[in-house]
Amino acid sequence: MNESATTLLGVDTRIWQAIVAGMVVAAGWLVNGWQNRRERRAERAEKLRDAHRALYAEIAAYLSQLVSREELHRYGETLTQRMEADDTFVPFIPRERADRVFASLLGEIHILPRVTIDPVVTYYAYIHAIEALAEDMRAERYRALLQARRIAIYQDYVSMKALALDYGNYCLAVIAAYARDGKSTAEAEDKRLSSRALAPSDR
């Protein structure tokens, strides 16, 4: 009887040892999994912050060149008057390239939250349209047009830059709100700007 009890006790001991060992391994998996998820979240958050900073800097740099809507229209009006006074005058149009950061981030654009990715993509789509128009205006076919047609295209170019200023400021405001207090604040800022008809979707 005692020998049988000892045997059973020995078996029970080995079973419990196996159970304890299994629990330790399982706990290790859980801890490692939690740590890995935490590291991935931290890495994603860092990438998001870096992406927002880089995009903010690029957009702000471009907007600083535009100065203001008033300045853009004042400059555009000055050149329009000069074109109207001289049929041979063709304004110099600089080559546009204001999307280098965005282009480098395209492969990971999915890391941006919905509240910022929409205005960012819309802004850069508009910038690309301006770049394409600028290239057309630098070509000989633009010079070959009648002055009235060149003036109309130039005025469209100035108007597009003025809208780019609105789109850019909208992006900066939403990105800044996200960086300051997170998603909910950015969404509130998005809603506030939309109510003022500044959001790209309301244009």
Side-chain angles (χ1 to χ4, degrees):
M1 188 64 127
N2 289 339
E3 183 178 351
S4 177
T6 302
T7 302
L8 289 174
L9 182 60
V11 171
D12 288 345
T13 300
R14 289 194 296 271
I15 290 174
W16 279 112
Q17 287 174 344
I19 290 173
V20 171
M23 292 176 64
V24 170
V25 170
W29 286 341
L30 290 173
V31 171
N32 286 337
W34 176 76
Q35 288 177 335
N36 290 337
R37 288 192 295 273
R38 184 181 63 177
E39 289 172 1
R40 284 196 296 270
R41 285 195 298 268
E43 182 180 357
R44 181 182 174 85
E46 184 177 0
K47 284 184 177 180
L48 173 57
R49 284 192 298 271
D50 290 345
H52 273 163
R53 287 194 193 104
L55 289 168
Y56 190 99
E58 181 169 73
I59 295 170
Y62 183 73
L63 299 190
S64 69
Q65 300 172 25
L66 303 181
V67 185
S68 67
R69 270 181 158 269
E70 294 73 23
E71 185 66 23
L72 280 170
H73 287 300
R74 184 162 47 247
Y75 182 75
E77 184 62 28
T78 298
L79 283 187
T80 296
Q81 291 174 358
R82 187 173 173 184
M83 293 172 77
E84 290 171 341
D86 182 358
D87 284 347
T88 65
F89 174 69
V90 179
F92 172 73
I93 305 298
R95 180 170 280 112
E96 300 269 355
R97 190 64 198 271
D99 67 339
R100 296 184 186 280
V101 170
F102 179 73
S104 70
L105 290 173
L106 272 179
E108 293 190 321
I109 197 69
H110 60 278
I111 68 173
L112 299 183
R114 179 66 182 272
V115 70
T116 60
I117 195 172
D118 286 354
V120 164
V121 170
T122 301
Y123 165 79
Y124 279 102
Y126 203 74
I127 290 299
H128 292 159
I130 293 175
E131 291 173 356
L133 180 58
E135 284 301 312
D136 287 343
M137 294 174 70
R138 290 169 58 86
E140 283 301 319
R141 60 179 175 272
Y142 177 71
R143 293 178 176 275
L145 296 173
L146 295 174
Q147 187 70 317
R149 181 58 180 150
R150 287 199 296 254
I151 289 173
I153 293 174
Y154 179 74
Q155 289 174 334
D156 285 344
Y157 173 72
V158 172
S159 295
M160 288 175 73
K161 279 184 164 285
L163 281 176
L165 192 63
D166 288 346
Y167 288 135
N169 282 323
Y170 171 75
C171 280
L172 295 185
V174 176
I175 290 173
Y178 193 98
R180 185 172 62 251
D181 291 312
K183 179 182 176 182
S184 59
T185 300
E187 289 174 341
E189 182 70 359
D190 174 43
K191 185 176 180 180
R192 184 184 72 82
L193 292 175
S194 296
S195 68
R196 293 172 53 190
L198 285 179
S201 60
D202 292 331
R203 281 288 173 193

